[in-house]
């Protein structure tokens, strides 16, 4: 299989996507922070019950939310690395929290990180070891919204690879979705999933007050550090038949597609789903 994760990352997090987020944060520069989905104060108690003592926490897709700053102040001592793909967003946060960062510079940092493209190229403040917790408020939702029509399996497979590499204990995702998509829900790299329902302090979805939900959810995904992705017999047969098998429409490789399926499926059904995807896929690879 020759389709690289790096190339898939470029397609999924291309210049148009980066420009969109930079423009959005430029337009909202006058706002100190914008909270989507739920306000931090309504999350603290539930989050704190799912975070170990003296944790190393990575937040992905932070936007201009004050979630990590609020949480850090309640769980100190701790180490937080708060990231977003947008340099404009990170510059805004650093300016807003300049006084706070001066006091906690060795324990709390903002970093630009394209997690879909730079899985193995961590920010300079990260020591190259997994975090106790990865915190996600809205990042997964933006991926799933985009992947409804584009590169669904490639995007989610790359995201799961990122989670497995950088999460030591838990992936905490805050979302208006009562259920995670099957590719995450059935992922063998998670040993257990639980859900908490939140009904207080709800915020708008993507700034649209007409889309506010009656409840949002904290999904706690426990990472199985013993899980090691391996090629199945079916993967090997496909690779031996043709080492460059990829979908002509979305560009996903057979290994990436099959790796996202329920591991309990019989090999014959996996092969059937892969062939069906090749025939019916309607996505197109972005350049």
């Amino acid at each position: 299989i020759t389709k690289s994760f790096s190339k898939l990352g470029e397609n999924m997090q291309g210049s148009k996507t980066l420009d969109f987020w930079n423009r959005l944060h430029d337009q909202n520069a006058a706002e100190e922070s914008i909270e989507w989905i739920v306000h931090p104060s309504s999350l603290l108690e539930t989050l704190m019950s799912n975070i170990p003592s003296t944790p190393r926490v990575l937040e992905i897709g932070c936007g201009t939310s004050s979630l990590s700053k609020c949480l850090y102040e309640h769980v100190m001592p701790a180490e937080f690395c708060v990231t977003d793909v947008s340099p404009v967003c990170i510059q805004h946060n650093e300016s807003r929290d300049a006084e706070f960062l001066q006091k906690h510079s060795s324990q709390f940092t903002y970093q630009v990180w394209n997690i879909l493209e730079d899985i193995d190229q961590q920010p300079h403040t990260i020591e190259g070891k997994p975090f106790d917790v990865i915190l996600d408020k809205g990042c997964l939702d933006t991926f799933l919204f985009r992947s409804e029509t584009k590169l669904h399996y490639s995007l989610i497979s790359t995201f799961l690879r990122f989670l497995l590499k950088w999460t030591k204990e838990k992936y905490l995702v805050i979302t208006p979705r009562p259920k995670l998509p099957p590719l995450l829900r059935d992922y063998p790299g998670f040993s257990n999933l639980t859900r908490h329902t939140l009904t207080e302090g709800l915020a708008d979805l993507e700034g649209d007050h007409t889309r506010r939900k009656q409840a949002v959810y904290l999904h706690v995904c426990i990472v199985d550090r013993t899980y090691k992705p391996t090629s199945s017999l079916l993967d090997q047969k496909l690779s031996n038949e043709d080492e460059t098998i990829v979908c002509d429409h979305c560009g996903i490789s057979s290994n990436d597609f099959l790796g996202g399926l329920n591991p309990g499926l019989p090999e014959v059904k996996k092969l059937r789903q892969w062939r069906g995807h090749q025939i019916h896929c309607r996505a197109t690879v972005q350049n």
Side-chain angles (χ1 to χ4, degrees):
I1 303 299
T2 60
K3 195 75 171 180
S4 69
F5 278 108
S6 175
K7 183 62 177 176
L8 290 174
E10 292 169 5
N11 288 331
M12 291 182 288
Q13 203 80 310
S15 59
K16 289 184 179 180
T17 300
L18 301 181
D19 288 346
F20 168 81
W21 290 114
N22 284 331
R23 286 197 308 272
L24 179 68
H25 292 300
D26 269 331
Q27 293 166 5
N28 295 322
E31 301 282 346
E32 280 201 2
S33 66
I34 296 178
E35 301 295 347
W36 292 352
I37 304 176
V38 62
H39 293 281
S41 58
S42 300
L43 280 169
L44 290 177
E45 183 177 351
T46 307
L47 285 176
M48 289 168 61
S49 67
N50 284 283
I51 290 179
S53 59
T54 61
R56 295 183 73 245
V57 178
L58 170 68
E59 183 181 3
I60 56 175
C62 65
T64 58
S65 171
S66 60
L67 174 60
S68 279
K69 180 173 176 287
C70 293
L71 183 60
Y72 173 83
E73 292 171 335
H74 284 78
V75 299
M76 293 188 296
E79 179 184 346
F80 274 63
C81 182
V82 186
T83 69
D84 197 277
V85 72
S86 167
V88 174
C89 165
I90 295 302
Q91 290 168 9
H92 172 92
N93 293 348
E94 289 178 331
S95 176
R96 178 195 65 198
D97 299 332
E99 185 176 345
F100 169 83
L101 292 173
Q102 279 187 337
K103 295 178 180 178
H104 304 279
S105 60
S106 61
Q107 289 83 36
F108 192 102
T109 59
Y110 287 111
Q111 294 283 323
V112 178
W113 195 3
N114 184 337
I115 63 172
L116 293 181
E117 185 175 345
D118 300 325
I119 293 177
D120 299 314
Q121 300 176 26
Q122 69 269 19
H124 68 274
T125 58
I126 298 178
E127 299 177 358
K129 58 184 180 181
F131 289 82
D132 298 311
V133 172
I134 289 185
L135 183 60
D136 175 348
K137 182 163 81 85
C139 185
L140 174 65
D141 288 308
T142 65
F143 293 159
L144 294 176
F145 174 78
R146 288 163 50 208
S147 69
E148 287 176 0
T149 55
K150 302 171 184 175
L151 295 170
H152 179 79
Y153 290 103
S154 296
L155 192 153
I156 300 302
S157 293
T158 302
F159 183 59
L160 287 171
R161 178 173 176 250
F162 166 83
L163 291 178
L164 192 64
K165 178 176 177 63
W166 289 106
T167 317
K168 180 180 178 182
E169 188 172 333
K170 294 179 181 179
Y171 168 52
L172 305 180
V173 55
I174 300 119
T175 173
R177 301 169 186 267
K179 289 185 178 181
L180 294 178
L183 286 176
L184 274 78
R185 195 168 63 242
D186 300 332
Y187 182 51
F190 296 145
S191 62
N192 187 45
L193 279 77
T194 57
R195 185 185 73 182
H196 301 267
T197 302
L198 306 168
T199 57
E200 301 293 330
L202 304 187
D204 299 340
L205 303 184
E206 301 180 15
D208 182 354
H209 67 87
T210 65
R211 299 181 60 208
R212 186 173 294 187
K213 298 286 189 177
Q214 297 300 311
V216 297
Y217 306 90
L218 169 65
H219 297 275
V220 180
C221 308
I222 308 298
V223 174
D224 181 2
R225 297 300 301 172
T226 65
Y227 171 69
K228 303 294 182 185
T230 56
S231 296
S232 69
L233 180 60
L234 176 58
D235 297 325
Q236 295 168 7
K237 288 179 179 177
L238 287 169
S239 299
N240 291 336
E241 177 185 344
D242 183 354
E243 293 185 352
T244 59
I245 290 182
V246 295
C247 174
D248 292 333
H249 305 285
C250 70
I252 187 174
S253 70
S254 58
N255 276 348
D256 294 346
F257 179 91
L258 294 165
L261 297 179
N262 186 331
L265 280 179
E267 298 293 294
V268 173
K269 288 189 176 181
K270 289 183 178 181
L271 180 56
R272 187 182 303 140
Q273 288 195 25
W274 165 244
R275 289 175 176 167
H277 172 81
Q278 289 178 292
I279 296 170
H280 300 294
C281 179
R282 295 291 182 265
T284 56
V285 176
Q286 292 178 303
N287 296 318

